[in-house]
Amino acid sequence: MKEIILAKCGELVLKGLNRSSFEKTLIRNIKRALQPLGEFDVSIMQSTIYIDKDGGIDDTAAAFSYVRRVFGIAALCRAAVCRKDMEDIKKTALEYSKNALQKKRTFKVESKRSDKRFAFSSPQICADVGAYLLKNIDGISVDVHNPDVVVTVEVRDLAAYVHCENVPGAGGMPYGSSGKACLLLSGGIDSPVAGYMMAKRGLKLSAVHFFSPPYTGELAKQKVFDLASQLSCYCPDMELYLVHFTEIQEQIKKNCREDLFTVIMRRFMIRLADAAADKSGAGALITGESLGQVASQTLRALSITDELSRHIVLRPLIGMDKDEIVAVSRKIDTFETSILPYEDCCTVFTPRHPKTRPVLSEILEEENKLDIPVLVENAVSRMTVVKID
Ligand code: ATP
Ligand code: MG
């Protein structure tokens, strides 16, 4: 029995004239996600995506798990392919649903007939296939309201398909269809989640990480590589820009008021993230900030870092509670890495009493004590980039 994967396009079905360019991006992304398993044939007809392989898919379970992570898909299922012939449809439905049905007790058959030339109507298909299953599998009954298993028969242009279980897809818009943004990626819980959420809305990601040797060690850096690599399951081909931050932090500590250290440091992060965004061709920055979470994430502190950014700063977690962020981080498998106890450059110099309502004029006064262009230039010239796969 031949098996393929059928998927439903997500929100891109709402697009008008430019829908085909979204579909092309989605097809390219699915093929890319499946590359470890070979070359696949992927096509879209009437919002349904057909995923098949010349000579058959060898490992449908593996292929299915890769496609589940592709943004732009609302739902997907594995489906058996058969001829558009009622006898073949019935036999295939029996063979394909037997396992699932024997473990459960109730079922119903649903049918979609997009090929209107097929001689049987949808209600007839449901009735015939349902009767056939009842006759051939002991101990099952029909429940049209609350069935344990729904057996779906679709009669389409090229063939008929039988499937039993639709699961939700990754949702969102095709990766890369909304442009590109640069994620400020720390080793914490929040920033990988922020990156995932914006990638889900179709932004291709690059990332920038600030590290401060010898205050932060190799293990802390490795943790960020690991997080980037876990994100790359959703966000392929990510470039990670690494910025030496030690000199800047030492200069701030030596010259500026302690209670303003964090906001001044975050303004340097924004200047350097702007530079990394330019290098990677990104049109926006993304951070994992959430309103009120820490002193640097008050409205005042956020406005003061925002005002100097040359790019729009996207903060998808701004209205989320920590436990909601943790739930997403568990879902995307970054949580266990994020909680490894390595230091971050933000934490090594944390002031005892950071000012929660900083004033811009005071910040500018403190910044005047630093040679900002030279510090930024030094950090940009030492910036390195790593490709994450
Ligand atoms: P996270 O949980 O993501 O580490 P956080 O709770 O530690 O965030 P902050 O330290 O205030 O919060 O950082 C806020 C945001 O600033 C982070 O979500 C991230 O986008 C960015 N950021 C912080 N530290 C770094 C870093 N070392 N490199 C790159 N970006 C950083
Ligand atoms: Mg945070």
Side-chain angles (χ1 to χ4, degrees), residues 22 62 66 91 107 234 241 243 247 340 349 384:
F22 285 89
Y66 286 130
K91 282 195 193 117
F107 78 103
Y234 299 93
Y241 290 81
V243 183
E247 186 190 12
L340 292 173
F349 291 99
T384 52

Side-chain angles (χ1 to χ4, degrees), residues 134-150:
L134 281 171
K135 194 173 96 191
N136 287 286
I137 305 174
D138 291 336
I140 59 171
S141 59
V142 173
D143 180 346
V144 288
H145 300 297
N146 196 18
D148 294 322
V149 179
V150 178

Side-chain angles (χ1 to χ4, degrees), residues 185 207-209 224-225 228 238-242 384-386 388:
L185 180 63
V208 58
H209 176 67
V224 174
F225 288 145
M238 199 161 81
E239 295 152 343
L240 173 61
Y241 290 81
L242 295 164
T384 52
V385 59
V386 188
I388 308 288

Side-chain angles (χ1 to χ4, degrees), residues 17-184:
L17 289 178
N18 53 358
R19 176 162 155 184
S20 74
S21 85
F22 285 89
E23 290 183 344
K24 276 191 196 128
T25 306
L26 180 55
I27 289 174
R28 203 170 45 236
N29 292 350
I30 294 171
K31 286 187 171 186
R32 195 190 181 289
L34 288 166
Q35 226 161 39
L37 302 175
E39 281 294 317
F40 279 66
D41 301 321
V42 182
S43 56
I44 300 184
M45 274 176 277
Q46 293 166 339
S47 309
T48 299
I49 308 157
Y50 296 76
I51 301 164
D52 196 359
K53 190 163 178 260
D54 212 12
I57 305 176
D58 313 308
D59 187 346
T60 319
F64 196 72
S65 69
Y66 286 130
V67 179
R68 278 199 80 174
R69 295 197 206 119
V70 177
F71 294 125
I73 294 175
L76 64 162
C77 63
R78 294 163 63 160
V81 187
C82 57
R83 284 183 293 115
K84 291 196 282 185
D85 165 89
M86 202 53 174
E87 286 311 305
D88 203 23
I89 290 174
K90 286 195 287 198
K91 282 195 193 117
T92 307
L94 176 62
E95 195 184 338
Y96 200 59
S97 62
K98 200 166 189 169
N99 256 345
L101 277 173
Q102 269 166 347
K103 288 186 215 134
K104 310 275 182 172
R105 285 202 310 277
T106 61
F107 78 103
K108 81 167 172 181
V109 179
E110 279 185 354
S111 164
K112 289 176 203 150
R113 187 185 57 135
S114 57
D115 177 3
K116 300 294 177 206
R117 293 163 308 175
F118 189 61
F120 297 82
S121 69
S122 286
Q124 278 172 325
I125 298 172
C126 292
D128 279 17
V129 174
Y132 191 75
L133 295 177
L134 281 171
K135 194 173 96 191
N136 287 286
I137 305 174
D138 291 336
I140 59 171
S141 59
V142 173
D143 180 346
V144 288
H145 300 297
N146 196 18
D148 294 322
V149 179
V150 178
V151 179
T152 306
V153 176
E154 299 195 36
V155 182
R156 293 179 168 271
D157 282 347
L158 301 177
Y161 305 89
V162 177
H163 50 91
C164 298
E165 198 187 3
N166 247 328
V167 299
M173 297 296 293
Y175 184 66
S177 63
S178 304
K180 188 169 184 181
C182 182
L183 168 69
L184 282 80

Side-chain angles (χ1 to χ4, degrees), residues 184-192 208-210 266 269 286-289 293-294 296-297 322 344-346:
L184 282 80
L185 180 63
S186 69
I189 296 171
D190 304 327
S191 45
V208 58
H209 176 67
F210 302 93
R266 295 201 61 77
M269 283 189 174
I286 303 169
T287 75
E289 289 158 315
Q293 191 185 74
V294 287
S296 60
Q297 294 171 30
K322 195 75 186 188
D344 181 68
C345 72
C346 283

